[in-house]
Amino acid sequence: MYYVLTDDSGQDHSFGWASDESHQGNPIAPGAVYTNDDSNYQPLTYSASSVSISQAQYDTLMGFGTPGSANYLEGMSSTYEVT
C-alpha cells in the first residue's frame, strides 16, 4: 500500500512502505520508504480515491514518509510492527 499527496502546485509526492532492497519478497523484514510506488504500480488495476485533507494532515503525511522529519515513520517499526 502507498499514498500520494499532491501539493498546491500539482506536484505528486508518493510514499510506499515495503521490505528494503536486501529483503525483497519477504513480508516480515526490515523495511524502507519508497517514493516511486505511484509509477511502479501503473496502470492502475486496483481501487484508488481522492480525499481532501487539511494542511495539518498534509504536513503530517509528508513528514511520515520523509526521512529526517520529526514524525518519520512514527508509530511503525522497520518490521511492520505497530508500536
Side-chain angles (χ1 to χ4, degrees), residues 12-79:
D12 289 339
H13 304 274
S14 173
F15 301 98
W17 179 255
S19 300
D20 66 20
E21 293 292 330
S22 62
H23 295 90
Q24 293 294 306
N26 186 349
I28 308 300
V33 172
Y34 292 88
T35 58
N36 58 354
D37 280 357
D38 58 338
S39 60
N40 284 342
Y41 293 104
Q42 296 294 330
L44 297 175
T45 57
Y46 49 86
S47 177
S49 60
S50 296
V51 180
S52 295
I53 59 175
S54 70
Q55 185 64 49
Q57 291 168 320
Y58 176 90
D59 293 343
T60 297
L61 287 168
M62 281 293 291
F64 185 78
T66 305
S69 170
N71 64 339
Y72 177 61
L73 300 177
E74 185 176 40
M76 199 67 129
S77 77
S78 63
T79 55

